[in-house]
Amino acid sequence: MAMKFDSYLQLFFLGCFYFSWFLSSPAEAAVRKYQFDVGVFFDCITLFYYLQIRVKNVSRLCRAKPIVTVNGRFPGPTVYAREGDRVLVNVTNSVQYNISIHWHGLKQFRNGWADGPAYITQCPIKTGHSYTYDFNVTGQRGTLWWHAHILWLRATVYGAIVIMPKEGRMFPFPQPHGETKIILGEWWNSDVETLVNEANKLGLPPPTSDSHTINGKLGPLFPCSSKHTFSMEVEAGKTYLLRIINAALNDELFFAIAGHNMTVVEIDAVYTKPFTTRVILIAPGQTTNVLIIADQPRSRYFMAARPFMDAPVPVDNKTVTAILHYKGIPNTVLPSMPKLPAPNNTNVALRYNNRLRSLNTPQFPAKVPLKVDRHLFYTVGLGANPCSSCQNGTQLTASLNNITFVMPKVGLLQAHYFHIKGVFKTDFPDRPPVPFNYTGVPLTANLGTSLGTRLSKVAFNSTIELVLQDTNLLTVESHPFHLHGFNFFVVGSGVGNFDPSKDPAKFNLVDPPERNTVGVPTGGWTAIRFRADNPGVWFMHCHLELHTMWGLKMAFVVENGKSPEESIIPPPKDLPPC
């Protein structure tokens, strides 16, 4: 009954959006209120959405296993909102694990209490308890997503966030006839938490996933999976918007549709200069909106995804498929397969990312910081620390500036707000302790890292330039970094070592892509800029779950401004206790 109601709720809320789209007065929508008997209240401005975390048996790859789900759904329900809305999501935890939910890409201005990463901005929701995430959607529209932010639970606990523009405002691209969400994920046959715990005891990485998924389904190329295939029906000549989300834990993915071009129009809920491509690259945590036109011969076509990995690191290299199905074509017609790049095709990956540009129009300007108050340089590396109980006597680890982040037992935002001593230090270094040839020959000696809960304190409204530099400690590898609480501009990137005397001259300070998650290229660097105008404690971490678990993370403490309007708001009364 809960699942059925949840589906009705989504359909009704979407209908509310599209109906209010044509209203001449925004005040009309502000007074539309609806009461539901199950304790759910929402209107076109406020959504109170009840989410229940629970376990459900799901069958994939010829076997069934229990997984953690939201409202019994995999993927979980879509949260719909409109730019300017207030959203309340009540999360009730009915499983054995502690849980927290992160609203990935939402800036949560002054309101880190609703951001969600466990032990960073909150302590997790304990079994049998609830917490209401209460936040405003300010100055954002497009596709984002939500996911669990504790342990490896985001393997199955995730879903889309769709933010419609303000009433009366249209998309800055051709209006589609329809739209579909494409959520890319990973699937393990065994219980993920068990695999991770066993690997940690050995000091080794857990096994790679057994398959990828599209909207929770594997497609007909896998055994026992023909009925577990996502299919999207289209009509010839019409235009469709695909909201693509990479919810995979550890894999960057190429995605393509047989016979069809895609026009990229948005990344991470920021409009882009449109460009047409046969394939997109999307890292874990990123979202990409594309337009497709059903302009090919009426038939059935595979949509397909498989990993990009140009380093000697094991990945789940199988191809997952869904079907683009022209209306009226029988299911007996075999779909054609797109030509995906080779998994290690660096050139395609670099060319694609270099084509991304902010729209940068008067209505949607690219407010790139031109003056930088503080320059940061962080090295990204793997390492190994002694571990007497581990298989090789060492525990694989990861670090920024040779610091492996140690998770606290108290939420960092609480410790900052209430001045709790001894939880963290604000001495995270702006540069690595020892410069070296970061991307030279592999370094396999002196791989030990420093352990600590060390944060970087940042002045309110200061402008930051951060260069993330990959290193060849053990191996080079691409790293998708996500910064909570902010968007940033990707002003430059390159292969090899960053040259502070030459590379800044090549930065794009006019229309660089604006994102919340960016890939640091294998054996290369990425430079980002942002304005620290959001007070609070904000997590930054690699969005490869393996590396995050190994300590490839840190946090910024952004100080309050001079007025209450530039300061952290007080915590909610139902903030989960530690």
Side-chain angles (χ1 to χ4, degrees):
M1 185 64 186
M3 289 177 61
K4 188 174 182 181
F5 172 77
D6 185 65
S7 299
Y8 287 151
L9 180 60
Q10 290 188 52
L11 288 172
F12 189 81
F13 195 46
L14 261 188
C16 178
F17 276 139
Y18 286 111
F19 177 72
S20 64
W21 186 278
F22 296 101
L23 294 177
S24 58
S25 171
E28 294 275 340
V31 296
R32 296 186 193 277
K33 298 180 180 180
Y34 304 87
Q35 184 67 44
F36 288 77
D37 293 337
V38 296
V40 178
F41 167 80
F42 69 92
D43 59 17
C44 293
I45 292 298
T46 304
L47 164 66
F48 191 79
Y49 201 170
Y50 180 82
L51 298 184
Q52 186 177 32
I53 310 295
R54 56 188 178 185
V55 172
K56 178 184 180 181
N57 276 341
V58 173
S59 178
R60 299 287 187 272
L61 289 175
C62 311
R63 65 178 72 180
K65 73 166 187 176
I67 64 172
V68 180
T69 62
V70 172
N71 293 359
R73 299 181 58 183
F74 172 60
T78 300
V79 172
Y80 294 96
R82 185 185 291 283
E83 182 183 353
D85 282 1
R86 179 187 180 192
V87 178
L88 297 97
V89 186
N90 185 62
V91 177
T92 296
N93 182 12
S94 302
V95 298
Q96 69 190 71
Y97 304 103
N98 292 341
I99 196 77
S100 72
I101 303 293
H102 171 49
W103 314 93
H104 186 114
L106 282 165
K107 296 178 184 177
Q108 308 288 11
F109 185 62
R110 302 169 52 218
N111 184 26
W113 313 110
D115 191 41
Y119 299 106
I120 305 298
T121 59
Q122 68 167 95
C123 289
I125 306 165
K126 297 176 181 177
T127 303
H129 291 75
S130 300
Y131 175 49
T132 298
Y133 292 93
D134 182 350
F135 53 87
N136 296 315
V137 180
T138 304
Q140 294 182 272
R141 82 295 305 163
T143 304
L144 296 171
W145 66 302
W146 58 265
H147 60 83
H149 212 303
I150 186 171
L151 306 173
W152 283 43
L153 292 178
R154 73 177 174 95
T156 57
V157 180
Y158 59 81
I161 301 173
V162 174
I163 306 170
M164 300 300 292
K166 288 183 178 179
E167 290 180 27
R169 294 187 183 177
M170 310 296 280
F171 299 128
F173 48 79
Q175 303 306 299
H177 297 96
E179 63 175 59
T180 297
K181 297 178 292 291
I182 302 291
I183 309 180
L184 309 172
E186 287 183 87
W187 177 265
W188 280 261
N189 278 333
S190 300
D191 177 71
V192 178
E193 295 303 325
T194 300
L195 293 175
V196 170
N197 290 336
E198 291 174 350
N200 281 336
K201 290 177 182 177
L202 298 173
L204 300 173
T208 60
S209 55
D210 294 292
S211 67
H212 291 91
T213 59
I214 295 179
N215 293 346
K217 300 177 180 180
L218 283 63
L221 303 187
F222 289 91
C224 305
S225 298
S226 291
K227 66 178 181 179
H228 299 302
T229 301
F230 175 73
S231 181
M232 172 187 174
E233 185 179 84
V234 297
E235 293 187 45
K238 292 190 174 181
T239 300
Y240 296 86
L241 178 67
L242 302 188
R243 300 179 180 270
I244 306 170
I245 299 166
N246 187 349
L249 273 75
N250 293 305
D251 291 336
E252 294 184 80
L253 296 167
F254 287 123
F255 175 85
I257 306 172
H260 292 73
N261 288 324
M262 295 176 285
T263 300
V264 177
V265 294
E266 177 198 302
I267 54 173
D268 292 1
V270 179
Y271 297 133
T272 62
K273 287 184 170 65
F275 68 91
T276 299
T277 181
R278 281 285 187 175
V279 63
I280 70 166
L281 175 66
I282 184 166
Q286 293 181 338
T287 67
T288 303
N289 281 9
V290 302
L291 293 175
I292 62 166
I293 303 175
D295 57 0
Q296 297 301 299
R298 293 172 65 251
S299 187
R300 301 172 81 226
Y301 299 86
F302 273 131
M303 301 183 278
R306 75 176 176 201
F308 162 63
M309 173 53 73
D310 57 352
V313 175
V315 293
D316 171 8
N317 61 6
K318 304 177 208 62
T319 300
V320 61
T321 57
I323 295 174
L324 185 76
H325 184 122
Y326 277 69
K327 189 174 183 179
I329 300 299
N331 291 340
T332 53
V333 174
L334 294 177
S336 55
M337 178 67 79
K339 185 178 180 181
L340 288 165
N344 62 349
N345 196 324
T346 304
N347 290 334
V348 170
L350 293 177
R351 281 199 304 268
Y352 174 80
N353 283 326
N354 286 337
R355 297 181 72 185
L356 296 171
R357 294 283 187 273
S358 290
L359 190 57
N360 195 21
T361 63
Q363 187 177 4
F364 303 105
K367 298 180 180 179
V368 188
L370 301 180
K371 175 182 171 292
V372 175
D373 296 319
R374 189 164 162 197
H375 293 266
L376 307 177
F377 184 81
Y378 292 177
T379 52
V380 183
L382 302 179
N385 287 328
C387 173
S388 58
S389 62
C390 295
Q391 180 172 287
N392 300 317
T394 58
Q395 167 79 56
L396 286 173
T397 188
S399 66
L400 285 166
N401 281 354
N402 205 48
I403 297 169
T404 296
F405 190 85
V406 176
M407 293 296 287
K409 299 187 185 309
V410 175
L412 294 177
L413 181 58
Q414 291 165 278
H416 170 60
Y417 186 85
F418 292 109
H419 306 289
I420 303 172
K421 303 290 186 181
V423 178
F424 64 85
K425 296 180 179 180
T426 55
D427 62 349
F428 192 91
D430 288 1
R431 284 165 185 77
V434 179
F436 61 97
N437 182 3
Y438 306 115
T439 57
V441 296
L443 301 175
T444 56
N446 302 318
L447 295 175
T449 65
S450 172
L451 307 181
T453 309
R454 301 168 65 181
L455 281 59
S456 179
K457 183 178 285 189
V458 176
F460 177 79
N461 211 36
S462 60
T463 53
I464 307 297
E465 179 181 288
L466 167 60
V467 176
L468 292 160
Q469 172 72 62
D470 187 32
T471 64
N472 206 355
L473 293 164
L474 287 179
T475 181
V476 290
E477 187 174 350
S478 177
H479 299 272
F481 268 86
H482 173 46
L483 176 60
H484 292 228
F486 300 92
N487 280 357
F488 50 74
F489 291 96
V490 186
V491 296
S493 66
V495 176
N497 295 337
F498 175 73
D499 187 337
S501 65
K502 296 180 180 179
D503 287 326
K506 306 171 192 173
F507 285 176
N508 177 5
L509 302 179
V510 177
D511 60 353
E514 183 180 348
R515 315 206 67 142
N516 62 62
T517 305
V518 66
V520 178
T522 301
W525 56 271
T526 292
I528 66 173
R529 288 187 182 184
F530 63 97
R531 181 175 295 278
D533 57 0
N534 193 2
V537 177
W538 302 107
F539 207 21
M540 188 184 76
H541 60 96
C542 179
H543 223 272
L544 304 180
E545 199 63 39
L546 177 64
H547 293 171
T548 298
M549 177 181 73
W550 284 348
L552 194 48
K553 49 197 173 186
M554 57 85 64
F556 292 102
V557 179
V558 180
E559 297 176 297
N560 285 337
K562 295 180 180 180
S563 68
E565 292 74 25
E566 296 175 340
S567 302
I568 303 168
I569 64 173
K573 293 181 179 179
D574 64 338
L575 187 70
C578 292

